[in-house]
Amino acid sequence: MGLERSTQGDLSRLCWFRGCNDVVSSLPSGTVSLLFSDIEGSTALLLRLGALYADALDGQRRVLRKAWNAHGGTELGTEGDSFYVVFPTADGAVAAAVEGQRELAQYPWPGGERLRVRMGMHTGSPRVHDGGYVGIDVVRAARIAASAHGGQVVVSSATEGLVRGGLPSGVSLRDLGTHQVKDIDVPERLFQLAIDGLPSAFPALKTLGASSSLPVPASPLVGRCRELAELTAVLSSPEVRLVTLTGPGGSGKTRLAIAIANQLVSRFPDGIYFVPLAAVTTVATMWTTIAEVLDLPPECRITPGFFESVAHRSALLVLDNLEQLTDADAVVARLLEAAPQIVVLATSRRRLNVPGERQHAVSPLELPDAETVAEAEGSGAVQLFVQQARGFKADFSLTAENVADITAICRRLDGLPLAIQLAAARIRLLGPAAVLGRLDQALDIAASSRLGPRRQRTLRDTIAWSYDLLSARQQTVFRRLGVFAGGAELDAVSAVATDIFDGEDPLGLVTELVDASLITVAEGVGGEPRVGMLETVRAFALAQLDAVSELDGVRLSHAKHYLAVIEELRVQVLSGVGHQLLETRQKFELEHDNVRDALTWALGCVDPGTSLSPNDPRLGMNLCASLWTLWVDGGPYSEARLWLERAVSLGDEDSPELGCCLGALSAFLLRQGGLAEACDLAERSVAMLRRVGDRDKLCGALIGLGGAQDELGDLPSARRSYEEALALASQIDDEHDNKLRQASTLNRLGVLEISDGNFEKALKLFDAAIGIRHEIGDEYAVLVGRHNAACTLHFMGQPQEAYRRMSEQIPDLLRLARPDMLIILAEDYAAVLIDLGDHKRAVRLLGAAEAMRERHGTPRERSQATDIEKRFANARAALAPGVWDHEYQLGHALTVEDALTEAYAASTACD
């Protein structure tokens, strides 16, 4: 019972895939091989190719369709650059993938580009349904494909077992180890097809086993062969636990760290995790970020759960950009102490001074000794310049005519990779001699300055030179992009530059900044472009923004935009189901660094002893009030509590915003076991909202207070709070919100009536709530009411009727894919089965429910835990201890979805 009290989670279930092309009259049945493919980085490719992208897409489709057809493939779906194909045999699927990759590598792509297509396949026995396939095998194949990188072909163990003895010529299999594939609860052993003549070294798979998989560099690493080999060997030694790459900004520390980590994939069975910390400024946020990347459930993102979760992991953590964190050494030391099998590769402008640390100073790239082509070709700095220049001018090469100018440019820039990259971007417009001339003009005065290290001055001046080449309009947008931490979508760019764009699509101007190599564009959620900046460039942009006295104004626009974003995501969490919740969670995680920056600007820093003062406390409180729903829905508990406490501490007068923050902090403490303090905060929230006369917010605060009183066991007080909330709900002006609050309160009152044994009254309250939610089309809430009504019938001594009703709900609940609902349905359904004598199936359902609680970090509340123990006492008494344990472990290995599907099949068989 108590679905209203449960937090929400996110789980996407891809149940079936039906193509949009011609209806297939006869699909292969039985054992088949399913293949998914798409182009990696298609959005960035579109930005680079422009109108030529259509030609590239057509070429890709011709090449792959020829391969599919040649080996018996049936094309089920094509959308944009992706394919979904089924083959009657695994051998045919592998042969088609190999032929497709070989032909793609030889194809003359427009603009000198190279399309990188990722492929994944799995062999199983999906059921044919309505012109497509249904079943977990389709999910597995799609998720395997999503874990791959461009140019890579990944197959499941089922496919590998069928093709190992009959691979095409020049093809072998590489064991990638066991991975946790998204939405698949059982770990999957994955293999890569290694194809002679094609690249075979790829970053770690993008699976849950490598939660934040290594970024994929746009070009090969140059000039670091010796360092790469040496550092890989050092980190392969069991005695080494910490290596720190140090050096100035722009020296290539991050790029080298990624390359090293790529060489060590097979060394760490529990994965390699890239932890970007450039936007992190506090120790609390550093711990939270590491926990998020490790994909720990919310309850394990604070001690002691954090250390218990990582204690036995054998993993490599790449901690990137630690220089701004003064206490990073303490975090790393504590992490290494608590997790003896974890190894850390850190990048910083300074060493950490942690015992056992191996420091490696990343030097600038090697410069040529002479100005000959032969000498220059061996220089890492020249190699990088030529590589980057070819990205802007495909036919660019090192020649006897330009070698002197190119070597002079590299020397002038001291071999710093970022500086060379920025200078090479000018080759699109200028020849090497002109680039060199402009470099000299831009840097001569600054180079004579004694302020700061020489290489840092050179890098700063290089960025300034590229900045000075921009138009005034481009410079304004570039400066304002500096406020974004972790990137931004185009609507966010527009929000901080409304006076520049005035309704115009910002993509054109963003593309111009990409061409100048001052920003990057990657593919974000839903395939939309996401703008990013190197941190060194971002620091320069922020300095320029401050210099023209625009910083606070742009920070205010930034914070207001993310308040609107968070409010939209909050509404989606309250009303979303299934895949919508997953997309909402992804968007929230993607924007969390921006939200932190907005909170820091508005509220000041949460760490004690800092001098950062608040700029707009009321805006910060509004952010916290909207954020708490997302934080409760699986977010960073410890960090959320710090922000809420900070917001509450800044409230020196009554306001609706402060009242909501008090209520939100109460909700957090309630989930963390602080019942008395939670109740006190809830009472303060209600009292304040009464004083300010905010009827709508008071209604929500009363519901929160009733929940705290219920948990404390003060049912009469809880009833009074709910009844007052019900009266207020009917007065809310917004009709939808009015009905939503009424239905929620009726449902909670029904739960209280059950506690008092008033079952008939509870049923009437649930029926009233269901009727209201039918009116507003809230399918999720309708199912909550129906489930609570079924539980009430069970309490009334009607287990057969409760069984019938719960069984009827299973298909709808599986379709909605709400983890919170599925967990509680499994537990309550199991209790009904116990009364009906089906003890084994009941115990399996309990095991599956508890496994999902562990994965999603949603422990039972106190009252729920006591209730479960009582309800399962009869099953323990009826089953021998060994039988109980066996059935429980069977259930624990199942997903809740599979356990409920099994139970539903049994119920229909009985009918």
Side-chain angles (χ1 to χ4, degrees):
M1 281 295 299
L3 279 169
E4 290 280 355
R5 302 173 184 161
S6 300
T7 57
Q8 300 164 357
D10 51 27
L11 181 66
S12 174
R13 295 293 292 176
L14 176 60
C15 294
W16 63 283
F17 189 116
R18 183 179 178 184
C20 300
N21 39 344
D22 294 339
V23 177
V24 180
S25 59
S26 178
L27 291 175
S29 59
T31 300
V32 297
S33 291
L34 306 158
L35 183 150
F36 286 81
S37 76
D38 65 2
I39 299 173
E40 185 179 65
S42 56
T43 299
L45 183 66
L46 171 60
L47 288 173
R48 294 196 302 269
L49 286 178
L52 293 176
Y53 179 78
D55 295 336
L57 186 59
D58 288 342
Q60 180 243 12
R61 288 177 176 174
R62 284 194 300 272
V63 167
L64 292 182
R65 279 178 173 145
K66 179 182 176 183
W68 310 150
N69 294 334
H71 297 281
T74 299
E75 185 179 328
L76 282 181
T78 306
E79 183 177 358
D81 58 274
S82 64
F83 279 96
Y84 170 36
V85 191
V86 61
F87 294 83
T89 67
D91 288 338
V94 167
V98 170
E99 180 179 326
Q101 292 289 8
R102 284 174 170 163
E103 291 298 321
L104 289 170
Q106 297 174 9
Y107 191 84
W109 302 107
E113 290 284 351
R114 179 191 164 200
L115 266 69
R116 295 175 174 86
V117 174
R118 59 180 180 175
M119 300 180 185
M121 67 183 76
H122 169 64
T123 303
S125 303
R127 184 163 58 89
V128 177
H129 175 73
D130 194 20
Y133 289 95
V134 144
I136 196 66
D137 291 316
V138 182
V139 181
R140 199 180 302 273
R143 294 312 188 209
I144 289 171
S147 75
H149 297 278
Q152 189 177 29
V153 183
V154 179
V155 304
S156 68
S157 57
T159 302
E160 181 268 347
L162 293 172
V163 302
R164 177 166 289 280
L167 291 167
S169 176
V171 179
S172 59
L173 283 162
R174 177 175 296 175
D175 189 346
L176 301 180
T178 300
H179 291 257
Q180 187 70 56
V181 181
K182 186 178 179 181
D183 290 349
I184 305 296
D185 291 299
V186 179
E188 179 73 38
R189 187 148 191 187
L190 300 177
F191 297 79
Q192 175 190 314
L193 294 181
I195 306 170
D196 287 356
L198 299 183
S200 59
F202 296 94
L205 292 179
K206 294 177 280 189
T207 60
L208 299 181
S211 179
S212 180
S213 57
L214 293 171
V216 182
S219 55
L221 181 69
V222 296
R224 303 288 189 190
C225 293
R226 180 182 56 79
E227 289 174 284
L228 181 60
E230 290 176 357
L231 290 166
T232 301
V234 169
L235 279 162
S236 297
S237 170
E239 293 80 28
V240 177
R241 301 279 313 286
L242 170 63
V243 171
T244 304
L245 306 183
T246 60
S251 59
K253 302 183 293 293
T254 298
R255 182 68 181 85
L256 179 58
I258 292 169
I260 295 166
N262 267 318
Q263 298 293 311
L264 295 166
V265 171
S266 60
R267 160 83 168 74
F268 296 94
D270 293 324
I272 292 179
Y273 300 82
F274 183 84
V275 186
L277 296 166
V280 173
T281 56
T282 68
V283 167
T285 307
M286 182 176 177
W287 280 118
T288 298
T289 304
I290 294 172
E292 289 172 345
V293 170
L294 289 171
D295 201 37
L296 301 183
E299 294 295 332
C300 295
R301 293 179 182 178
I302 54 177
T303 57
F306 178 95
F307 297 116
E308 292 171 357
S309 298
V310 302
H312 303 295
R313 291 201 188 192
S314 176
L316 173 66
L317 301 188
V318 181
L319 304 183
D320 189 48
N321 286 106
L322 296 179
E323 55 267 11
Q324 77 283 3
L325 286 156
T326 55
D327 293 323
D329 53 346
V331 174
V332 173
R334 183 72 181 94
L335 180 63
L336 294 175
E337 177 187 2
Q341 297 185 74
I342 278 182
V343 176
V344 171
L345 173 58
T347 72
S348 178
R349 296 185 189 181
R350 59 183 177 84
R351 66 175 298 146
L352 297 174
N353 292 314
V354 172
E357 178 186 24
R358 298 283 189 95
Q359 180 192 10
H360 176 84
V362 178
S363 303
L365 291 171
E366 182 184 5
L367 296 166
D369 293 328
E371 295 179 354
T372 65
V373 172
E375 184 72 26
E377 283 177 339
S379 158
V382 172
Q383 289 171 16
L384 179 62
F385 185 93
V386 173
Q387 178 199 76
Q388 294 295 310
R390 282 176 177 162
F392 296 94
K393 194 173 182 180
D395 60 351
F396 184 84
S397 63
L398 183 69
T399 66
E401 289 72 28
N402 64 23
V403 65
D405 292 326
I406 292 173
T407 55
I409 290 169
C410 293
R411 288 173 182 154
R412 189 73 185 85
L413 300 176
D414 283 342
L416 285 171
L418 179 56
I420 291 171
Q421 176 185 342
L422 292 168
R426 297 300 104 194
I427 288 297
R428 182 172 186 176
L429 303 173
L430 307 171
V435 171
L436 178 61
R438 288 173 178 261
L439 273 179
D440 287 336
Q441 293 169 15
L443 298 178
D444 273 347
I445 297 176
S448 65
S449 171
R450 296 181 180 180
L451 297 175
R454 180 169 178 268
R455 290 193 179 101
Q456 290 184 357
R457 297 199 310 271
T458 304
L459 175 60
R460 185 170 58 252
D461 288 341
T462 304
I463 300 171
W465 168 69
S466 290
Y467 174 75
D468 290 340
L469 290 176
L470 301 176
S471 67
R473 189 166 182 258
Q474 291 170 334
Q475 286 182 345
T476 300
V477 174
F478 168 77
R479 288 195 303 266
R480 296 183 187 183
L481 287 174
V483 299
F484 294 107
E489 294 183 348
L490 293 181
D491 61 340
V493 175
S494 294
V496 299
T498 53
D499 55 322
I500 301 299
F501 294 115
D502 192 24
E504 171 193 347
D505 187 346
L507 184 59
L509 199 148
V510 163
T511 303
E512 294 169 9
L513 295 176
V514 172
D515 290 342
S517 286
L518 285 169
I519 66 172
T520 60
V521 173
E523 192 169 306
V525 175
E528 285 298 307
R530 186 170 182 84
V531 178
M533 272 185 175
L534 295 171
E535 282 304 309
T536 309
V537 178
R538 183 181 178 230
F540 177 89
L542 284 171
Q544 294 300 309
L545 198 59
D546 194 32
V548 296
S549 302
E550 290 182 353
L551 185 56
D552 275 339
V554 177
R555 286 283 193 199
L556 176 60
S557 297
H558 172 272
K560 286 182 175 178
H561 172 75
Y562 283 102
L563 174 59
V565 169
I566 291 304
E567 181 58 26
E568 181 181 349
L569 294 179
R570 184 187 72 85
V571 172
Q572 291 173 7
V573 164
L574 293 174
S575 60
V577 296
H579 69 280
Q580 295 172 338
L581 282 177
L582 176 62
E583 291 172 2
T584 301
R585 170 56 50 198
Q586 289 173 333
K587 179 72 179 291
F588 178 53
E589 290 175 350
L590 194 62
E591 300 295 3
H592 211 171
D593 284 338
N594 278 311
V595 172
R596 285 177 180 134
D597 267 22
L599 286 167
T600 302
W601 178 82
L603 298 175
C605 191
V606 294
D607 278 6
T610 60
S611 58
L612 194 59
S613 58
N615 289 284
D616 196 330
R618 180 157 292 191
L619 177 58
M621 290 178 195
N622 272 325
L623 268 167
C624 286
S626 290
L627 272 165
W628 84 270
T629 301
L630 294 159
W631 278 330
V632 169
D633 182 44
Y637 277 23
S638 56
E639 184 183 350
R641 179 173 174 176
L642 286 173
W643 283 118
L644 284 165
E645 288 173 340
R646 173 70 173 173
V648 168
S649 73
L650 294 174
D652 54 4
E653 60 183 31
D654 288 357
S655 68
E657 296 84 6
L658 179 57
C660 287
C661 286
L662 287 166
L665 184 56
S666 166
F668 265 94
L669 292 175
L670 191 63
R671 284 161 177 79
Q672 294 180 316
L675 300 184
E677 188 178 357
C679 200
D680 176 65
L681 286 166
E683 288 173 347
R684 288 174 57 193
S685 172
V686 167
M688 182 175 294
L689 291 169
R690 283 193 203 282
R691 290 194 296 270
V692 300
D694 193 317
R695 184 175 56 199
D696 294 2
K697 291 183 173 60
L698 175 59
C699 179
L702 284 164
I703 294 173
L705 174 59
Q709 292 164 334
D710 186 0
E711 277 296 301
L712 276 172
D714 186 356
L715 301 188
S717 294
R719 186 185 304 279
R720 287 192 295 272
S721 295
Y722 289 150
E723 287 174 345
E724 184 180 355
L726 184 62
L728 282 174
S730 64
Q731 302 172 34
I732 294 175
D733 294 332
D734 183 277
E735 184 176 359
H736 183 275
D737 203 23
N738 174 319
K739 293 183 179 297
L740 192 67
R741 300 277 187 167
Q742 285 189 60
S744 177
T745 311
L746 287 168
N747 198 73
R748 287 171 176 259
L749 283 168
V751 174
L752 285 184
E753 294 298 342
I754 291 175
S755 300
D756 285 343
N758 300 323
F759 301 125
E760 293 291 349
K761 190 172 181 180
L763 284 175
K764 290 179 181 179
L765 289 166
F766 292 144
D767 286 343
I770 291 169
I772 292 173
R773 279 164 164 167
H774 264 305
E775 288 181 36
I776 60 176
D778 190 343
E779 184 181 11
Y780 163 67
V782 167
L783 288 171
V784 169
R786 288 173 56 193
H787 176 75
N788 285 347
C791 289
T792 306
L793 290 167
H794 183 208
F795 296 143
M796 294 170 68
Q798 301 179 41
Q800 194 64 49
E801 179 62 14
Y803 174 74
R804 184 187 67 79
R805 292 197 185 193
M806 288 187 187
S807 298
E808 289 176 349
Q809 291 187 70
I810 289 176
D812 289 333
L813 289 168
L814 290 174
R815 176 174 50 79
L816 290 185
R818 295 285 294 248
D820 52 343
M821 293 181 70
L822 293 174
I823 289 171
I824 293 177
L825 172 64
E827 292 170 345
D828 290 336
Y829 196 49
V832 172
L833 289 173
I834 289 171
D835 282 0
L836 294 176
D838 194 346
H839 301 106
K840 290 184 178 180
R841 184 170 286 110
V843 176
R844 285 201 292 276
L845 281 167
L846 177 64
E850 292 195 340
M852 182 173 270
R853 283 193 180 278
E854 292 165 8
R855 287 193 300 274
H856 288 270
T858 53
R860 293 187 184 89
E861 295 176 7
R862 177 182 54 81
S863 58
Q864 292 174 329
T866 303
D867 188 43
I868 285 292
E869 290 177 8
K870 292 179 179 177
R871 293 160 81 179
F872 280 82
N874 289 340
R876 283 193 179 275
L879 297 173
V883 176
W884 169 281
D885 292 341
H886 176 71
E887 296 297 334
Y888 179 86
Q889 290 303 324
L890 285 177
H892 202 270
L894 291 173
T895 65
V896 166
E897 292 88 344
D898 287 344
L900 285 169
T901 299
E902 176 187 284
Y904 179 69
S907 72
T908 55
C910 293
D911 294 342

